[in-house]
Amino acid sequence: MKSNQERIEKHIKALSQYTATPNEGTTRLTYSEEDLQARDYIKSQMKAYGLKVREDGLGNIFGKLEGEKKGAPSVIVGSHFDSVPHGGDYDGPAGVIAGIEIAALFQENQIKPAYPLEIIAIIEEEGSRFGGGLMGSRGIAGYLQKEDLEQLKDKDGISVPEAMKQIGLDPSLEVKRDPETIKAFLEMHIEQGPILEEEQISVGVVESIVGLTQLEVTISGKAGHAGTTPMDRRSDALVAAANIIGKLPQIAIEEGEGTVTTVGRHQVFPNGANVIPDKVVFSVDIRSSKETHIKNVVQKVKDVIRTYESEGIQATVEQSLYMQPKELNQDIRSQLKTSAEQLGISYTNMHSGAGHDAMVLSDITDVGLIFVPSKDGLSHCPEEWTAIHELAAGIDVLYETALKLTRKS
Ligand code: GLV
Ligand code: MN
Ligand code: MN
């Protein structure tokens, strides 16, 4: 092993402390107190390994080791450091720690790269605070304008710039990154599925990433007294929403080829046991490896919603995220495999059913994504776990590849 397992374990333990739900998994929402604590830790580690640290206008963290070629584009390594509510310690942080460990190895081995090495820790990949997801990487790719961010609010009505200021970040800084300044992006992530563990393979080299979209559906009805309003005089937003949601699994099943739909978040207003709900807001996450399936399902979901509209029930549908399925760069994929072969680390080709910052950044640069095993295939839950030696194997593959990419002309 080239990477240092003690160091990796120290970083995993350190970051796992920064949770709003101790003993009930990692809950690290973007721009929260726990974000600030994790942010300070990540920045301190980047500095300790000789990187020059900066944050952009979304609070994405970059640590840079200059290269010998003047003005050359960077090889960026990293992942996100936010979490889902009650998630695990590895989804995101494993890839940030991979970057930090690679910086440590560059320093330890006194490597002076030709191209700069940049380590990145990205915000709000999960969308747990502001919805949609992939917000940090979408900003870097230039898909989010300042006005969009002012409009984007959390469930308490706090906008992105307001939330940033609350933890001392500067939303006036530039976010969009000139693609000319990036040579490649490398990400390591836990698999979040069972294949690598079951097949006892150390590394998955990702060939393609699922396409995904998220809809935000608002159903409006009329509030009233739960005891005195006769059943035939109600416009109950929750009953309409429940009927709609009940139809969604079948739409995905009929579409086939692994198409999936999930309603993972909903809010009921006014949320009183003895009040007829007048508003329900819920998310619909739709994924498929084929874009036509995603488009078909979006249309079918809208059609179902329409059938529940009436004089008393209105519905609106907003698309908060749309990402096409992506195929990742062939050349980087083969470099990752060559690195694994040279290190004697087993690997296989994989498809990703989860979304990743890599899929957004593949629009602006050459991207490589590898997976390491997830115990029992579990993720987005407190039980999420990957052995330190498995993280180390993945980091070795990424380090070897980063060495070549920062060296090569
Ligand atoms: C992120 O984990 C996603 O796939 O939504
Ligand atoms: Mn995730
Ligand atoms: Mn992730």
Side-chain angles (χ1 to χ4, degrees), residues 80 84 91-92 125-126 189 192 354-356 379-380 384:
H80 62 98
V84 294
D91 175 1
E125 188 267 353
E126 304 286 6
H189 204 281
Q192 310 180 278
H356 294 288
S379 184
H380 283 188
E384 187 180 272

Side-chain angles (χ1 to χ4, degrees), residues 18 188 232 243 247 272 310 401 405 408:
Y18 309 131
M188 183 181 92
D232 62 350
N243 280 316
K247 297 251 168 0
S310 64
T401 311
L405 285 167
K408 237 169 73 168

Side-chain angles (χ1 to χ4, degrees), residues 146-309:
K146 289 263 178 261
E147 310 81 71
D148 300 331
L149 298 171
E150 272 153 28
Q151 297 305 320
L152 211 49
K153 308 235 163 96
D154 71 2
K155 66 174 177 29
D156 299 319
I158 300 171
S159 71
V160 171
E162 283 165 353
M164 286 181 69
K165 284 184 202 151
Q166 285 175 357
I167 61 159
L169 292 169
D170 181 357
S172 71
L173 296 171
E174 188 64 54
V175 181
K176 181 181 181 319
R177 179 91 183 227
D178 178 356
E180 299 288 309
T181 65
I182 310 176
K183 185 166 188 258
F185 172 65
L186 300 176
E187 181 170 10
M188 183 181 92
H189 204 281
I190 56 165
E191 180 197 338
Q192 310 180 278
I195 296 170
L196 292 174
E197 184 184 56
E198 278 173 16
E199 299 189 2
Q200 298 191 357
I201 296 172
S202 300
V203 164
V205 176
V206 178
E207 298 185 296
S208 53
I209 306 181
V210 74
L212 60 102
T213 190
Q214 275 177 23
L215 308 177
E216 177 102 351
V217 182
T218 305
I219 308 290
S220 305
K222 190 155 176 29
H225 196 290
T228 59
T229 317
M231 294 311 286
D232 62 350
R233 297 211 198 156
R234 296 181 179 211
S235 297
D236 186 327
L238 184 54
V239 170
N243 280 316
I244 293 165
I245 293 167
K247 297 251 168 0
L248 304 189
Q250 195 54 31
I251 295 178
I253 291 165
E254 278 166 18
E255 196 63 32
E257 293 198 90
T259 304
V260 287
T261 59
T262 305
V263 175
R265 174 168 46 80
H266 83 285
Q267 290 168 278
V268 180
F269 300 90
N271 210 20
N274 57 355
V275 188
I276 298 166
D278 67 347
K279 188 166 89 164
V280 174
V281 182
F282 61 93
S283 58
V284 186
D285 182 296
I286 301 163
R287 301 182 186 213
S288 177
S289 54
K290 288 207 183 123
E291 194 170 16
T292 47
H293 291 321
I294 300 173
K295 291 193 163 151
N296 288 344
V297 171
V298 168
Q299 193 50 51
K300 287 179 186 167
V301 170
K302 286 183 177 167
D303 292 345
V304 166
I305 291 171
R306 200 118 308 125
T307 62
Y308 285 92
E309 279 182 315

Side-chain angles (χ1 to χ4, degrees), residues 123-140:
I123 54 116
E124 191 67 356
E125 188 267 353
E126 304 286 6
S128 301
R129 179 156 185 188
F130 293 101
L134 301 164
M135 187 170 102
S137 46
R138 284 194 289 144
I140 293 168

